[in-house]
Amino acid sequence: MEHPILFISVILDWIGLPVPHGPIGTTFLEKLCEPYLTYSWLVMAFLFVVPKLTLGKLELIPGTGQNFWEVLIGGILDFFAEHMGRKQARMLFPILATFFLYTLLANMIGLLPGFMSPTSSLNITIAMTIIVWVMHHVLGFRYHGWKYYKHFTGPILLMAPFMIILELIGNFARLVSLSMRLFGNILAKEILLGVLFMLAGAFFAPLPILALGVLVSLIQAVVFVLLAVVYCVGAMEHAH
Amino acid sequence: MAEEERGILTELARYGQIGTTFAASIFIGFGIGWWLDNKLFAGKTTPWFSFIFLGFGIAAGFKHLWDLSKKISDD
């Protein structure tokens, strides 16, 4: 949508699959061939294949590939442990680290010509946000039982119906703001790059934005995961 | 959690979210009111639920700010 040429769409078109011309297709097959979906699968395939290739067999004396992944995974785990404690960090590590790696790669991939960021589609970000949102409520229920719902009513009994409405609105606002922030930042980056490339691509006009894009991609990935951590910690430690 | 361990990114995540959460809660409040007015009661109560729930949305936005400031002063 933002970039002039998306190579996966070109390949799919060449094979004979119906690639939608707008952002959203009409038939089921067109929906499957939407660029953000195919690029999301590309990112997933990358995250499956590249660790498999670089890691190989785990060895006692790590080689280059194993060193890289050990540092990365260890760093992420320490980062989570700082915020939520070692035990909870180990429990939530698989889902949160997956979110981090996927979001980071999905943000970054849009910087290459011929690729787009899957996270510049609201469908992808809202899907991730719904998972995080449901997860933190499930965690709250698991840690506190029915008492978890009691904190929605606030301290004063008379104010309870009022407070329930406020908490409900606040909770849905979380859902909207978390998905909209990631989507908005990445879409802005994509559109800016596309426009600058079309206007003055021959004079390297997009270069500074490319450099900023790396920063934005990293920060947005970290912030998304960090907010998921903050919500989970808040749900787990609510002891009113 | 020690204060210095938290780092600048946590602060960024916390405070960067204030603006969007505030706006989102106002829009969601108004959206619920609009839905009640125009879909559930089919326009009979037209401006009232929208306004009341707009107020709820604004209150929810301020409550988020209040909770956040309380959490910061607790740390």
Side-chain angles (χ1 to χ4, degrees):
Chain A
M1 184 171 66
E2 292 85 23
H3 290 287
I5 300 162
L6 297 171
F7 87 95
I8 289 187
S9 297
V10 171
I11 292 173
L12 289 181
D13 222 12
W14 185 64
I15 292 173
L17 285 167
V19 177
H21 294 288
I24 294 170
T26 43
T27 61
F28 180 68
L29 203 57
E30 269 192 10
K31 279 185 199 300
L32 283 185
C33 294
E34 284 158 3
Y36 68 85
L37 212 52
T38 49
Y39 279 91
S40 176
W41 287 332
L42 181 73
V43 170
M44 288 182 203
F46 186 89
L47 283 177
F48 268 112
V49 170
V50 169
K52 207 79 188 157
L53 287 180
T54 52
L55 216 50
K57 260 195 215 140
L58 289 180
E59 284 162 29
L60 199 60
I61 302 158
T64 337
Q66 196 183 336
N67 252 331
F68 172 76
W69 289 106
E70 273 183 9
V71 168
L72 184 68
I73 297 298
I76 297 173
L77 184 60
D78 285 343
F79 180 72
F80 290 154
E82 260 175 37
H83 288 92
M84 57 202 319
R86 189 60 58 176
K87 197 170 151 243
Q88 270 118 13
R90 287 189 87 90
M91 178 181 75
L92 290 175
F93 180 75
I95 187 164
L96 290 177
T98 309
F99 272 131
F100 176 70
L101 291 176
Y102 172 77
T103 320
L104 181 64
L105 202 62
N107 292 348
M108 288 271 199
I109 204 172
L111 296 170
L112 301 172
F115 292 80
M116 74 171 272
S117 293
T119 39
S120 67
S121 162
L122 192 56
N123 292 332
I124 299 281
T125 59
I126 213 155
M128 294 199 296
T129 312
I130 286 171
I131 295 172
V132 167
W133 193 78
V134 169
M135 183 177 74
H136 91 264
H137 281 303
V138 167
L139 275 176
F141 186 73
R142 232 185 84 184
Y143 270 68
H144 300 292
W146 291 105
K147 262 195 219 151
Y148 177 65
Y149 295 106
K150 230 182 131 192
H151 90 260
F152 284 129
T153 58
I156 309 162
L157 195 66
L158 203 63
M159 295 273 279
F162 185 62
M163 293 308 258
I164 285 175
I165 295 174
L166 289 196
E167 283 284 350
L168 275 180
I169 292 175
N171 259 296
F172 282 106
R174 262 179 200 188
L175 197 65
V176 173
S177 67
L178 191 58
S179 57
M180 284 300 243
R181 188 186 35 70
L182 181 59
F183 157 72
N185 276 292
I186 303 305
L187 184 69
K189 183 202 77 182
E190 297 272 284
I191 289 177
L192 195 55
L193 280 178
V195 167
L196 279 179
F197 189 74
M198 275 191 283
L199 283 180
F203 305 106
F204 299 107
L207 262 187
I209 305 299
L210 280 173
L212 278 179
V214 175
L215 200 66
V216 168
S217 304
L218 185 63
I219 287 178
Q220 290 308 320
V222 172
V223 165
F224 183 88
V225 171
L226 210 53
L227 278 168
V229 168
V230 167
Y231 291 160
C232 289
V233 169
M236 283 191 291
E237 74 182 3
H238 247 302
H240 284 306
Chain B
M1 259 192 293
E3 190 67 32
E4 55 272 5
E5 276 176 0
R6 223 171 243 150
I8 195 162
L9 277 170
T10 319
E11 309 291 315
L12 188 73
R14 258 191 187 172
Y15 304 127
Q17 198 72 349
I18 292 175
T20 35
T21 310
F22 202 95
S25 51
I26 291 173
F27 275 111
I28 285 172
F30 183 74
I32 292 171
W34 185 88
W35 182 82
L36 282 175
D37 265 347
N38 289 308
K39 302 286 165 194
L40 199 63
F41 295 113
K44 276 179 222 154
T45 54
T46 285
W48 294 106
F49 274 115
S50 300
F51 280 131
I52 291 167
F53 275 84
L54 180 65
F56 278 143
I58 295 169
F62 275 109
K63 188 174 175 299
H64 174 248
L65 279 184
W66 172 259
D67 287 347
L68 201 66
S69 62
K70 218 165 62 176
K71 202 182 250 173
I72 293 161
S73 67
D74 280 352
D75 289 345

